[in-house]
Structures are given as structure tokens and as C-alpha cells.
Amino acid sequence: MVTPENPKTAPIGNGQLDIGRFTHGYEDLDIQEQGGGANVSIGAFCSIGRGMRILLDASPMLDRITAFPFGEVFCEELGGAGVHVPRQNGGDVVIGNDVWIGANATVLAGVTIGNGAVIGPNATVASDVGAYEVWAGNPAQRVRKRFDDAVCEKLQELRWWDLPLPLIREMAPLLSAQPTVELLEGLQGIVADLVTFTDQGADENAA
């Protein structure tokens, strides 16, 4: 049974799709691939807008006379059934935790989007996006950071998306407030008293 608190996994061609707990909107996600074997990883507590696309299509070899895929299409009309021109794998797509992606945004192969980032509607993201950055446009460009560096650093340290669910329930009103260094340090104190993080422990808490 698929429940919000459980991570999800599905095959995509020769690759794999991983979705973290409580991420929503993925049901309408359009992943286009051509069997290159690239993977897509989406973290926990992400919000995905309607019509989002991830393009994993392999890139053509640019050092050949033509980029037309002889031997793969129209073989009866064009011949070339024995021709095989390798294509470059576009690379995995990695989307962090607590990422908000607007409607009809497109993410290209090989892109990494950091925790807490915001991608505007209709944006086309062709390069990596840092944590807590806001990107928009086509091609997408950085607009600003959501918070100052000190707050962003504290949010990265807090890693609230890895916390046990009962603690997240208790913290939900504070997580919905405007962050300050003082507030985040207070939350860190609560977490330090109740949770011991290790890499393995964080994985267990996220399960």
C-alpha cells in the first residue's frame, strides 16, 4: 500500500526513480527518457507543480556528420540497420528535500537542485541550483536566495525533513514561521535533546 510517509521507487527505462516521504504532486510528473539508464532522485517534503517534466534524453554525438539516428528509425526506407551511433548519457537528476517546483517547469538531465530551492513556473533548469535559491525563467537563472547565509546554514544543519514524524508534527507551526537564526538554534536544541543523528540514523528516521 502506498502511503505518504513511505518513500517510493519505480523503474524509468534502464534507470530508477526514487521519491522521498511526503513529497506530493509527483503523480503528474512527466519523465522522458530514451533508455540511457539515468536515474532521478527526489527528496522528502517536495512540492511538484502540475505538468513538471524531467528530460533524460541522451544527447547526440556532436562529432558526427549528422545527428540523425540512422539505424534506429525509418530503417526500411533509409537502410542502415547495422548502424549504431552511441549517444551521450545526459546524467542523473537529483532534487533535494523541501524543494518547491512550479507548474510546467522542466529540468534537464544532469541537474542537481539543492535543499529548499524554489523553481518558478515554466522555468527550464539546465544547470545546478544551490540550496535555498530561487530560480526562474527560460533558461532558468538565479533570482535570489530565500534567506541570508546564516539562516540557510542553520536550515541545512537542522535537516528537519529527516526528523521522526511525531517530532515534525509538533514542530509544524514553527516550521511554517519565518526563520531566524535564534528560532532555528532553538529548534536545533530541541532536536539535539531528542534525536541523535548519524548518516544511518537519518536514513532510519526518514524511513
Side-chain angles (χ1 to χ4, degrees):
M1 179 179 177
V2 178
T3 57
E5 63 269 27
N6 291 329
K8 293 111 184 133
T9 301
I12 44 173
N14 296 322
Q16 179 170 296
L17 168 65
D18 294 304
I19 299 174
R21 61 177 181 161
F22 292 101
T23 285
H24 65 102
Y26 65 89
E27 299 86 353
D28 192 46
L29 179 62
D30 178 15
I31 300 178
Q32 299 182 17
E33 57 83 33
Q34 292 182 346
N39 303 303
V40 175
S41 174
I42 302 175
F45 294 91
C46 292
S47 302
I48 299 174
R50 183 175 297 277
M52 178 196 171
R53 297 189 303 163
I54 297 177
L55 304 185
L56 298 178
D57 293 353
S59 301
M61 300 296 287
L62 302 181
D63 60 347
R64 310 302 168 102
I65 292 175
T66 178
F68 189 86
F70 282 106
E72 297 182 26
V73 297
F74 306 120
C75 293
E76 184 176 339
E77 293 84 359
L78 297 175
V83 175
H84 173 68
V85 178
R87 282 177 288 183
Q88 298 171 320
N89 192 326
D92 296 345
V93 169
V94 179
I95 298 173
N97 305 283
D98 189 25
V99 174
W100 189 96
I101 300 177
N104 301 312
T106 299
V107 177
L108 303 187
V111 165
T112 294
I113 298 176
N115 296 325
V118 170
I119 307 299
N122 300 306
T124 297
V125 184
S127 56
D128 290 351
V129 175
Y132 291 96
E133 292 180 352
V134 179
W135 283 55
N138 186 358
Q141 297 182 355
R142 180 177 135 165
V143 177
R144 62 182 175 87
K145 293 192 76 169
R146 291 178 59 189
F147 312 111
D148 64 38
D149 290 343
V151 168
C152 289
E153 182 178 348
K154 290 296 181 183
L155 285 166
Q156 290 277 67
E157 292 172 0
L158 181 61
R159 287 165 38 184
W160 67 265
W161 45 81
D162 284 335
L163 296 174
L165 186 54
L167 186 53
I168 290 177
R169 287 196 192 101
E170 294 294 326
M171 292 171 56
L174 293 175
L175 292 172
S176 301
Q178 292 183 344
T180 63
V181 170
E182 294 73 21
L183 172 59
L184 295 172
E185 287 178 344
L187 292 176
Q188 284 179 308
I190 294 172
V191 171
D193 290 339
L194 298 176
V195 179
T196 301
F197 273 129
T198 63
D199 289 340
Q200 181 178 358
D203 292 339
E204 291 173 352
N205 287 330

